[in-house]
């Protein structure tokens, strides 16, 4: 009998795709107006269109990757300018929010779409630009005084007319891949379908890790235990931190974990959060990654989250560990 062909799992994942960066943020320069003025003159600018979902221009590389398009400051559109940092070649890098002017060899994309295809420098630039831009877009007025605000400190703070300052905030969120702790092909992981996610036009339903925000006065670990209990009704026997990455939609820091649980526990779903959940074998997960898995019971095609997400990283890391 011929053994079935096994999907190519590729390389063992290193770090979460949006946790990569080579940028020196040069925070000590943010109040140095003379240095910033000179840095703008010799700098390059990443234009991000926040009104279009945070899109930026890229060019496609021959190796299947992607490269951000940075323009000289003299060619940048008008608007607030926010200093991201200094590149490895000592070039200052800035970002601004404006409509994109694409040409024939460029295309406009979001970080979700191509974050995993960028090199370390561009992944760090786009992630920082998207997170900082989203914060500025949502803080045009002071939440304390209601007064209009302007960008100060090179874009790393905003101030109202009274000089009251506010700084960018990041919301901590946890995300966990629950699995049974079994090595080899027999090992299984638990994935859920969020009740808010629509089924794709091609009938594909997306399944992902369990996630939620860390509540006030709560540790990340306690949030994992709480969210898993609330969403699927099971208890974890072990928990291990796996890494983090920014998820600037609009301003989260995703804290990733692997958790172990007994699959014999009954699943009790919170229908407002998770409308479907299953234990998937490593073989099923490998087929999902390859893009060809159909649930044998329902006949519904199923897929995984986008490759730029930490959810995909957690799933792929568990798959390789087996």
């Amino acid at each position: 009998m011929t053994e079935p062909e096994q999907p190519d799992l590729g390389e063992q994942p290193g770090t979460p795709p949006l946790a990569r960066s080579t940028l020196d943020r040069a925070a000590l320069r943010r109040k140095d107006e003379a240095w910033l003025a000179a840095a703008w003159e010799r700098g390059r600018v990443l234009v991000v269109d926040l009104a279009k979902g945070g899109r930026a221009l890229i060019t496609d590389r021959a190796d299947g990757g992607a490269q951000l398009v940075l323009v000289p400051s003299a060619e940048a559109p008008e608007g607030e300018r926010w200093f991201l940092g200094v590149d490895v070649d000592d070039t200052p890098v800035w970002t601004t929010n404006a409509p994109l002017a694409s040409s024939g060899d460029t295309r406009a994309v979001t970080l979700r779409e191509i974050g995993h295809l960028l090199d370390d420098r561009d992944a760090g630039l786009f992630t920082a630009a998207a997170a900082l831009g989203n914060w500025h877009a949502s803080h045009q007025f002071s939440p304390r005084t209601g007064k209009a605000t302007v960008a100060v400190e090179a874009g790393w703070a905003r101030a109202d007319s009274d000089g009251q300052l506010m700084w960018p905030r990041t919301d901590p969120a946890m995300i966990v891949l629950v699995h049974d702790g079994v090595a080899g092909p027999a090992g299984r992981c638990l994935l859920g379908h969020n009740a808010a996610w629509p089924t794709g036009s091609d009938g594909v339903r997306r399944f992902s890790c369990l996630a939620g925000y860390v509540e006030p006065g709560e540790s990340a670990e306690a949030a994992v235990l709480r969210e898993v209990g609330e969403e699927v009704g099971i208890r974890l026997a072990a928990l291990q931190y796996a890494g983090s990455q920014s998820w600037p939609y609009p301003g989260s820091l995703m804290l990733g974990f692997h958790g172990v649980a007994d699959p014999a526990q009954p699943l009790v779903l919170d229908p407002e959060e998770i409308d479907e959940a299953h234990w998937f074998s490593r073989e099923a997960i490998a087929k999902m990654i390859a893009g060809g898995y159909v649930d044998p019971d329902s006949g519904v095609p199923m897929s995984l989250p986008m490759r730029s997400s930490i959810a995909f990283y957690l799933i792929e890391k568990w798959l390789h560990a087996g």
Side-chain angles (χ1 to χ4, degrees), residues 6-320:
Q6 296 298 313
D8 181 10
L9 301 183
E11 297 181 0
Q12 171 80 6
T15 60
L18 303 187
R20 299 171 294 130
S21 181
T22 62
L23 186 69
D24 175 4
R25 296 197 172 200
L28 295 178
R29 297 292 192 179
R30 293 173 185 170
K31 297 181 182 180
D32 188 338
E33 295 298 334
W35 185 91
L36 290 169
W40 173 258
E41 293 300 321
R42 65 187 183 91
R44 299 185 69 81
V45 183
L46 173 62
V47 181
V48 178
D49 189 348
L50 298 175
K52 297 291 186 180
R55 296 179 181 275
L57 294 180
I58 63 159
T59 56
D60 294 302
R61 300 199 313 251
D63 62 1
Q67 183 173 351
L68 289 175
V69 175
L70 304 182
V71 300
S73 59
E75 300 176 12
E78 293 293 328
E80 284 189 350
R81 56 185 72 161
W82 310 315
F83 174 61
L84 294 180
V86 179
D87 204 349
V88 291
D89 64 357
D90 201 38
T91 300
V93 184
W94 300 75
T95 186
T96 190
N97 171 33
L100 302 176
S102 60
S103 60
D105 60 347
T106 66
R107 59 191 179 99
V109 296
T110 66
L111 183 62
R112 293 175 188 262
E113 297 173 84
I114 50 83
H116 62 293
L117 298 178
L118 300 171
D119 64 16
D120 290 357
R121 185 203 77 153
D122 282 1
L125 284 179
F126 202 171
T127 304
L132 191 58
N134 284 334
W135 177 76
H136 280 288
S138 63
H139 287 75
Q140 297 293 301
F141 296 87
S142 169
R144 290 179 299 212
T145 66
K147 296 181 178 181
T149 61
V150 295
V152 295
E153 298 185 13
W156 288 93
R158 295 190 72 86
D160 65 15
S161 57
D162 294 332
Q164 293 290 322
L165 291 173
M166 55 185 176
W167 294 269
R169 293 292 185 265
T170 296
D171 298 320
M174 49 65 50
I175 183 166
V176 59
L177 178 66
V178 179
H179 61 87
D180 60 4
V182 175
R188 292 182 292 166
C189 70
L190 176 63
L191 302 178
H193 179 272
N194 192 296
W197 293 342
T199 299
S201 58
D202 53 2
V204 176
R205 283 172 70 80
R206 175 161 49 101
F207 285 78
S208 186
C209 303
L210 304 176
Y213 284 106
V214 179
E215 294 187 343
E218 186 176 47
S219 70
E221 292 81 0
V224 173
L225 299 177
R226 174 182 55 78
E227 287 284 351
V228 172
E230 290 175 354
E231 293 189 350
V232 295
I234 66 173
R235 292 182 310 232
L236 298 181
L239 187 62
Q240 183 178 19
Y241 178 69
S244 67
Q245 74 170 28
S246 172
W247 193 244
Y249 299 104
S252 297
L253 174 66
M254 303 301 298
L255 306 169
F257 293 84
H258 284 125
V260 178
D262 183 356
Q265 298 179 76
L267 295 177
V268 181
L269 308 185
D270 174 0
E272 293 187 0
E273 295 285 343
I274 304 294
D275 60 10
E276 188 177 355
H278 301 284
W279 287 92
F280 294 94
S281 68
R282 278 193 169 88
E283 180 183 11
I285 293 297
K287 288 181 178 179
M288 284 188 189
I289 291 177
Y293 180 75
V294 176
D295 181 65
D297 298 320
S298 65
V300 173
M302 297 177 174
S303 68
L304 295 176
M306 66 285 293
R307 288 178 177 263
S308 61
S309 67
I310 194 172
F312 189 92
Y313 167 82
L314 293 172
I315 294 167
E316 191 176 31
K317 198 167 184 67
W318 166 81
L319 180 64
H320 281 273

